[in-house]
Amino acid sequence: VAVPASFALPYYFGPKEFDTLRGVDPRLELVRAIDFGFFAPVVTPLLIALKWVHGFVGNWGWAIVVLTLLINVLIFPLRHRSMVSMKKMQALQPEVKAIQERYAKYKVTDPERQKMNQEMMALYKQKGVNPVAGCIPMLLTLPVLFAFYALLSASIELRGAPFVGWITDLSRHDPWYVTPVLMGLSMLWQQKMMPTTADPIQQKVFLLMPVIFTFSFLWAPAGLVLYWFVSNILAISQQYITNRIVAAPVAVPGRSAAA
C-alpha cells in the first residue's frame, strides 16, 4: 500500500507557542488556542510586541523593561497633561474649599447643594482644569498590568525565563522578594511626589496603597512586578520633568473664583 509523503490531521499536539501555532495553521490564532481570559485582546499584541523586542535584546526580563519604556513613551503626553491638571487642581483648593464652606450648612439631599457643584464646575472650566484627568494614566496602565499577569500565567514563552541574579523564572514569584519591596517603595515615592487635592484622611488611605500592593505582589510573577516597578520609576522620572517644566503653583490668599 502506497503511503503518501505527507498528510494533514485535524489535530495539533505540541507546545502553545505563538510562532509554532502560526506555522502549523494560521487559523490557530493565539487567542483561540490559549485562554487569556477577558484581556486577551490586549495580551495578544502585547506578546507579539514582547517577542519582537526580545529578538533584539535576547533576554525576556530586559524585553519587559524595554517594552515598558516604549509604553510609557506613548502615554507620556497624556500623563504630562494629567500631572499639569493635578497641579492646577492643587492650586485651586483654597477657592474650592471656600465654595464648599458656603454650602456646608445644606444637607446632601438639599437642592441648594446642586448650586455648589455648578459653581465648582464653572471654576474648573474657567481655569481650564479637568477634575478627572488624574485618573487617565492609571486607566491606561492597569489594563497592561492585567494583560501582563494573563500573559505570564498562560504563555509558554516566559516559563523558566531568567532575568538577573536570583530571578531565574519570570513566570514565578521573586524567591527573595526583593522586587516586590522595591516596587512598594517606588509606589510610596510616587505617592509622595504626586500633587494631591485630597483631605488628610484620604491622603492616609492613598499612602496605604503601596503597602497593599506590596503584599499583593509578593507571590505575583516576577515579570509582572518588574513591569510595575519600571513603570513607577518612569512615572517618577516624568514627574521630575513636569515639575521643571511647570513651576509649582502658588495660591494667592483671598483670591476668589471671580478674580
Side-chain angles (χ1 to χ4, degrees), residues 96-122:
V96 171
K97 289 182 179 179
I99 294 174
Q100 291 174 337
E101 288 173 359
R102 290 205 305 270
Y103 292 91
K105 60 183 178 181
Y106 298 106
K107 296 181 179 180
V108 178
T109 56
D110 196 306
E112 288 293 324
R113 296 279 291 200
Q114 295 298 322
K115 294 182 180 180
M116 180 188 73
N117 296 332
Q118 293 172 1
E119 284 192 39
M120 291 176 62
M121 294 306 298

Side-chain angles (χ1 to χ4, degrees), residues 122-140:
L123 176 63
Y124 294 149
K125 184 177 181 180
Q126 177 188 356
K127 303 299 183 180
V129 175
N130 184 356
V132 299
C135 302
I136 294 176
M138 181 64 72
L139 293 176
L140 292 174

Side-chain angles (χ1 to χ4, degrees), residues 188-201:
L188 183 62
W189 186 4
Q190 186 180 11
Q191 289 280 4
K192 290 285 189 179
M193 286 187 61
M194 292 294 288
T196 178
T197 59
D199 58 55
I201 296 178

Side-chain angles (χ1 to χ4, degrees), residues 19-36:
D19 293 332
T20 303
L21 291 173
R22 294 180 69 180
V24 171
D25 192 328
R27 291 174 296 179
L28 285 174
E29 297 179 3
L30 187 62
V31 293
R32 295 179 182 176
I34 306 175
D35 183 15
F36 280 132

Side-chain angles (χ1 to χ4, degrees), residues 33-104:
I34 306 175
D35 183 15
F36 280 132
F38 180 78
F39 288 94
V42 182
V43 178
T44 303
L46 184 66
L47 179 55
I48 294 173
L50 189 62
K51 287 177 67 67
W52 178 76
V53 175
H54 178 262
F56 292 96
V57 299
N59 179 282
W60 288 107
W62 288 115
I64 292 175
V65 172
V66 173
L67 184 58
T68 306
L69 175 62
L70 295 176
I71 292 172
N72 278 265
V73 168
L74 290 176
I75 67 174
F76 183 95
L78 289 174
R79 182 177 278 162
H80 177 74
R81 287 197 293 268
S82 170
M83 292 176 177
V84 171
S85 180
M86 291 176 68
K87 279 185 168 292
K88 291 181 179 179
M89 284 282 293
Q90 190 178 34
L92 288 178
Q93 281 308 291
E95 299 176 53
V96 171
K97 289 182 179 179
I99 294 174
Q100 291 174 337
E101 288 173 359
R102 290 205 305 270
Y103 292 91

Side-chain angles (χ1 to χ4, degrees), residues 149-162:
Y149 181 79
L151 186 154
L152 291 163
S153 300
S155 176
I156 196 174
E157 281 82 355
L158 278 80
R159 292 183 185 177

Side-chain angles (χ1 to χ4, degrees), residues 229-249:
F229 171 64
V230 174
S231 185
N232 289 342
I233 295 299
L234 294 173
I236 291 170
S237 302
Q238 184 172 351
Q239 183 67 59
Y240 278 113
I241 295 173
T242 301
N243 289 344
R244 287 184 174 273
I245 296 175
V246 183

